[in-house]
Amino acid sequence: FGSSALRVVPAMAHHRPDFNVLKRVEQDGKYARAAAHVHDINKVGITTAWFEGKAKYEFTDGEKRNDTFIRTEIAQANEELKKRRRARLQHLYEFEARAYEDELMSMGLAIQRNHY
């Protein structure tokens, strides 16, 4: 065979000396990109779950606000009604007292009041 024979070279001689390090760096980069993608997907899932919850219970939240508003309105209306009834009752008492005094005055009598 002479000089035309193929020369046998060990398998490791074909690779660069830092081949394993570069391969590991590339693999670690893939893992980091995959982990970042998983993190992004989880964030999207959390956001989606929150939005679906808000959309699902939006009617219930609005109904709660309306119920609170209605209860407040009813309480205020009841208080206003009580004030008006007290005022009307006070006016009725004053009217009846004046009518009674007028009746006594027509008979020549009067009511003596003590003003303290």
Side-chain angles (χ1 to χ4, degrees):
F1 292 80
S3 65
S4 66
L6 291 175
R7 197 171 138 184
V8 178
V9 180
M12 293 300 285
H14 290 286
H15 299 293
R16 292 177 41 182
D18 59 349
F19 175 77
N20 289 332
V21 173
L22 293 174
K23 192 74 169 170
R24 179 63 189 254
V25 168
E26 180 183 338
Q27 188 178 23
D28 287 348
K30 286 181 182 179
Y31 288 150
R33 285 190 298 279
H37 181 67
V38 167
H39 180 70
D40 290 343
I41 294 296
N42 286 338
K43 283 182 8 183
V44 168
I46 290 170
T47 303
T48 303
W50 175 83
F51 183 75
E52 286 177 353
K54 290 303 277 183
K56 182 178 180 181
Y57 297 110
E58 185 175 343
F59 176 75
T60 307
D61 291 344
E63 190 175 350
K64 285 180 186 176
R65 281 192 294 276
N66 285 341
D67 286 347
T68 303
F69 177 74
I70 289 169
R71 285 190 187 111
T72 304
E73 285 289 317
I74 289 174
Q76 290 174 350
N78 284 339
E79 193 62 35
E80 180 69 24
L81 182 61
K82 287 177 189 177
K83 288 178 183 179
R84 289 182 181 200
R85 285 180 177 170
R86 284 186 199 119
R88 287 179 64 194
L89 192 58
Q90 182 68 31
H91 289 293
L92 177 65
Y93 289 157
E94 290 173 2
F95 177 76
E96 288 180 351
R98 272 188 250 119
Y100 183 64
E101 288 178 11
D102 291 343
E103 185 181 334
L104 288 176
M105 192 183 309
S106 69
M107 296 181 344
L109 302 171
I111 296 178
Q112 181 178 359
R113 291 196 172 95
N114 292 331
H115 297 283
Y116 296 103

